[in-house]
Amino acid sequence: MAHLRQGLGAVVAFWTAYVITRPLGASVADWMGVSPARGGLGIGTGTITVAWAAAIVVIVGYAVVSGRARAATVD
């Protein structure tokens, strides 16, 4: 949002989002994968990995097919 609406540089916006969301995503995936005895949902790490990979493929595929994905341009 800061990149699109406030003019924040694309590289800075990407790395800021990455640094903020990476630990959160890893924590959520760990919580979903570990056993209930350890405080998780017990789905299993392999299942979680495949499910999230499939979700990412679907989202990227949708972006490409719908035309929302654009090649980066250098000014």
Side-chain angles (χ1 to χ4, degrees), residues 13-71:
F14 168 81
W15 284 108
T16 301
Y18 182 83
V19 167
I20 290 171
T21 59
R22 174 77 168 111
L24 177 62
S27 297
V28 170
D30 287 346
W31 168 70
M32 294 171 80
V34 299
S35 68
R38 294 179 55 201
L41 296 180
I43 298 171
T45 55
T47 304
I48 293 302
T49 301
V50 170
W52 281 114
I56 291 168
V57 167
V58 168
I59 291 167
V60 170
Y62 172 77
V64 169
V65 170
S66 69
R68 294 181 187 255
R70 295 180 282 172

